[in-house]
Structure formats: C-alpha cells, structure tokens
Amino acid sequence: MSSGSAAYQVSQLDELEAESIFVMREVVAEMERPVLLFSGGKDSIVMLRLAQK
C-alpha cells in the first residue's frame, strides 16, 4: 500500500477471524447454555482463542 493511499485493506485472515467471531457470538445469543468442546488439538486451541477475543 502506498503512503498516499487512504484505503484500508483487510487481510483474508483478519476477515475469516471476524466472521468466525461473529458466528460464535450468534451462537451465544441464540443458545441458552452454549459449550465449547476442547480436546487440546490445534482446532480446539484456535476455537478457544477466538472465544477469548
């Protein structure tokens, strides 16, 4: 991005993270007692980190 450009570009990873957090918030809003199953694997660790955000 050039120094004269005022446009803000969101990376694909940031976009996916925001979408994932949005989905998790929707689940929490819809469900009475949502749970996050945690196995200790890499997928569970990513989900836990997203839940923290």
Side-chain angles (χ1 to χ4, degrees), residues 1-9:
M1 188 159 72
S2 67
S3 60
S5 174
Y8 177 74
Q9 292 184 334

Side-chain angles (χ1 to χ4, degrees), residues 6-31:
Y8 177 74
Q9 292 184 334
V10 177
S11 74
Q12 184 178 6
L13 187 58
D14 289 336
E15 205 171 310
L16 289 171
E17 180 184 73
E19 185 177 350
S20 299
I21 291 170
F22 175 80
V23 169
M24 292 181 85
R25 287 179 176 164
E26 287 291 309
V27 169
V28 169
E30 294 286 325
M31 299 298 175

Side-chain angles (χ1 to χ4, degrees), residues 18-51:
E19 185 177 350
S20 299
I21 291 170
F22 175 80
V23 169
M24 292 181 85
R25 287 179 176 164
E26 287 291 309
V27 169
V28 169
E30 294 286 325
M31 299 298 175
E32 187 176 321
R33 296 181 65 191
V35 297
L36 178 65
L37 300 177
F38 186 79
S39 67
K42 60 186 172 210
D43 295 333
S44 290
I45 292 170
V46 169
M47 292 296 291
L48 179 63
R49 183 65 182 124
L50 287 171

